Each structure stands twice: as C-alpha cells, then as structure tokens.
Amino acid sequence: MPAINEPKLISGNANLTLSTAVARRMSIHRGAKVDLVNARVERFNDQEIFVEIHENVRGEDMFIIQPTSNPANDNLMELLIIADTLRRSSAARITAVIPYFGYARQDRRTKARTPISAKLVANMIAHAGIERVLTMDLHAAQIQGFFDIPVDNLYASPIFALDIKHHFRDCLDEVMVVSPDVGGVARARELAKRINAPLSIVDKRREKPGEIAEMTVIGEVKDKRCIIIDDIADTAGTLVKAAELLMEYGAKEVHAYITHGVMSGPAVERVTGSVMKSLVITDTIEPTAAVRSAANIRVVPTAPIFAQAILNIWGGTSVSSLFEDATLEPLYETHYS
C-alpha cells in the first residue's frame, strides 16, 4: 500500500542524540526536512512522567524512538506514556523504535518461581497502543514471538562487517571471529560468514550467576587477530577475561564488537585497563562521557540503518533488504570514505 501521510518522529529522553541523528538521516534520504515532533516529556517532583505534544498528530504515521536502557523502568514508562498520548491524540499508526530492548535477558524461567519479564514488557507495549516494534539485536530471537504485533529485528553484524573490512582491510586473512560463549555461536557465525573468516568459541562454565568457574578456547587462535562478537556488554567482566584467555592462547591481538554498550559499574575501567586493543559498540544506548573519552572504545552509528528502516516501514517496503551489503553499504558510504 503506498504511503499517504508523512512519517513523524517523536523521542523520549533515553537517547535524544540518536533520535536527532535519525531525523537528520531521514532528511537526507528523502530530500525533505524531517524534524522531531515538538513535545514535552518531563517529570513532576514525585518523578511521575508527563507528556504533552505541541503539534497536531491526528492521522499521522508516528515513530517513537526510545531505547529502554538504564534507567530501564523510567525509559519504559516514558515509551508507554508517549504511546498512550499519541493514541489519545488520534495518531493513525504508532511504531515503537526501541534500539535496545531492556528486560530481554529475562526471556525464560531459569529456575522455579521466577518471571519471564520480557513477555510482560511485550504485553505492556502492545496494550499501550503500539502496533509495530523496530529494534536491533534482540538478546534472544524468540522474544519476537512474545509480541502479538509485528516486530522487525535489525542486526548489527552487517554494520560490523563493513567496519571490520574498513579497519582490517590490510590483514583480513589474520582475522578470527570469536564467540564468547556457546549461546552466541549463531551470531558469531553470521559475522564470520560476511567477512569470510574462521570461527572460534570461548567455552565458559559458571558455578553461580556472575562467577565464572572455568574458561577454555575451542579453535586455533595462535597468531590471529581475534574479534569477539556479542550483543551486550554490561559490566564487561566476562569480555575482559575472554580477551585475556585468548592472549594466553597466543592471539596476536584482541578486539571486541558489541551491539549494546550497557557499560555499567566498572565496565569502562575494566576495558581501558584490559589487553583488548579496541572495543567497538553502537549508539543504541547513549554513550556516557566516560565511554566517549575512553582511548580504546569506539562508537559506530546506527542512525543510517534505523532511518532507512523507518522509511521502509512507512513506505510499505522490505526491511530485511537492509541485511544485504548492496543495500547497506551506500547508507554508510560517507562514514567509511
């Protein structure tokens, strides 16, 4: 069905920098200026969230850009309240653009008497009036099935592949992709296939949550430039230990490509003091000042792919086409020129 109304963006407070960048990229793609909707998203003295939209959105195709990152509960409530505001203002369709989907790690019951919080959050999003979700690198693919509305899950691996081909262009034959655990093998294999590199696995065994009892490397990493690929870096403890282990096994150098840089607690200090030559993250979560100033942490933009995905959803065209190099490379042409 051809699009009739213009796509309109509204942002919460979780990542205004990304929202502004998406609007700017959409303006470039369309050749017409796209601005964020003029709205007020603030808190009362008791921290209740209040939203007021200062322009007409009746009959419009609305896109809310709001990752549910730290503080997860506040940012989730902002998303739900913005959606309710738009629904009560007669928006034609509401799409939630959630670059980082919080609570995704609670996607199953690991023991008795525990919740499946990802399913609860999915229900809340649908009941708030949101009709479609656009996100990136869900922690578990089955979370898409928790929603009773369409979910478009973008992948960071095509972006990472472009970045690796640019920064390792003189030594691609030495690159080894490493999965930090058995559960992440599919993600690592996808990247390895894109850059035509071999795959290795760090097998870790935990005695209890947060504590690693034993780590071993499956695969020959000696004299390789190892690239660890994962979706989330939280406290970075496992990441740093995996890098140390790879160096012990004879790796020439270790880098890491992580989609969502949660980087809580001592994460930045651990990374800067580690044997890792570089950590590359995306801006799905607003990077802190400490992250931006860290010498061995680099941030790659997601605005180009999110902007095009929004335009594809608005225009009723394929989102999965963005997984192909031929479609993605032109979006990042200026970034890697």
Side-chain angles (χ1 to χ4, degrees):
M1 182 189 299
I4 299 173
N5 298 328
E6 296 295 303
K8 285 199 171 183
L9 308 180
I10 185 169
S11 177
N13 293 311
N15 199 339
L16 277 167
T17 305
L18 176 58
S19 301
T20 303
V22 169
R24 186 168 59 248
R25 291 294 305 207
M26 287 178 64
S27 300
I28 294 170
H29 295 337
R30 298 196 64 226
K33 189 168 179 58
V34 176
D35 287 318
L36 296 175
V37 165
N38 184 14
R40 182 161 60 112
V41 183
E42 60 183 36
R43 282 163 176 73
F44 293 142
N45 291 333
D46 63 355
Q47 298 306 300
E48 281 187 13
I49 295 165
F50 176 73
V51 175
E52 183 180 8
I53 299 172
H54 298 303
E55 58 185 89
N56 182 30
V57 296
R58 181 181 296 274
E60 299 288 357
D61 196 357
M62 300 298 306
F63 294 83
I64 310 169
I65 304 177
Q66 176 78 342
T68 52
S69 49
N70 184 34
N73 298 331
D74 287 358
N75 289 331
L76 175 60
M77 281 305 298
E78 273 193 15
L79 172 64
L80 299 176
I81 292 171
I82 292 171
D84 185 71
T85 307
L86 292 172
R87 182 170 58 87
R88 296 176 187 277
S89 302
S90 302
R93 183 175 67 169
I94 304 169
T95 300
V97 181
I98 312 174
Y100 170 69
F101 182 74
Y103 285 101
R105 285 174 282 184
Q106 298 186 49
D107 62 311
R108 62 193 184 279
R109 297 184 68 188
T110 55
K111 57 182 72 173
R113 296 177 296 280
T114 57
I116 305 178
S117 301
K119 171 59 177 169
L120 173 63
V121 172
N123 290 344
M124 293 166 68
I125 287 172
H127 283 294
I130 291 166
E131 298 169 56
R132 178 182 290 269
V133 170
L134 174 64
T135 187
M136 176 171 280
D137 270 358
L138 283 170
H139 183 64
Q142 67 265 22
I143 292 175
Q144 294 176 80
F146 292 177
F147 289 87
D148 295 324
I149 55 177
V151 177
D152 291 304
N153 184 32
L154 300 176
Y155 297 99
S157 61
I159 304 171
F160 288 161
L162 289 176
D163 192 88
I164 291 167
K165 288 175 182 177
H166 176 75
H167 285 90
F168 295 85
R169 58 187 176 276
D170 297 327
C171 55
L172 265 177
D173 58 327
E174 298 179 4
V175 168
M176 166 79 80
V177 175
V178 180
S179 173
D181 53 44
V182 175
V185 169
R187 182 181 296 106
R189 186 186 293 119
E190 167 67 17
L191 178 63
K193 183 179 177 182
R194 285 181 178 274
I195 63 174
N196 195 27
L199 176 65
S200 181
I201 304 166
V202 174
D203 181 34
K204 62 185 178 186
R205 300 178 186 180
R206 297 181 187 269
E207 289 188 347
K208 53 185 175 180
E211 292 186 14
I212 299 170
E214 183 183 354
M215 296 178 77
T216 55
V217 176
I218 303 172
E220 182 55 61
V221 299
K222 185 175 174 59
D223 296 326
K224 293 289 187 179
R225 300 177 192 269
C226 292
I227 296 178
I228 302 172
I229 178 76
D230 209 353
D231 64 323
I232 297 174
D234 193 344
T235 59
T238 301
L239 184 63
V240 168
K241 286 182 180 178
E244 292 171 353
L245 186 66
L246 290 167
M247 292 299 289
E248 289 174 11
Y249 272 69
K252 183 178 289 187
E253 57 189 37
V254 179
H255 304 261
Y257 278 74
I258 310 293
T259 307
H260 308 297
V262 177
M263 306 302 285
S264 57
V268 175
E269 186 179 345
R270 282 175 174 170
V271 170
T272 53
S274 74
V275 298
M276 270 190 298
K277 196 163 184 181
S278 71
L279 166 63
V280 179
I281 59 175
T282 75
D283 58 356
T284 55
I285 298 172
E286 178 87 68
T288 62
V291 168
R292 291 193 178 279
S293 62
N296 61 342
I297 299 178
R298 185 161 53 85
V299 181
V300 296
T302 56
I305 191 171
F306 274 114
Q308 190 61 54
I310 289 170
L311 288 172
N312 287 8
I313 291 170
W314 167 68
T317 57
S318 171
V319 172
S320 61
S321 64
L322 297 174
F323 306 156
E324 304 299 326
D325 290 348
T327 308
L328 193 65
E329 282 179 8
L331 302 181
Y332 282 86
E333 195 169 23
T334 55
H335 184 74
Y336 294 114
S337 60

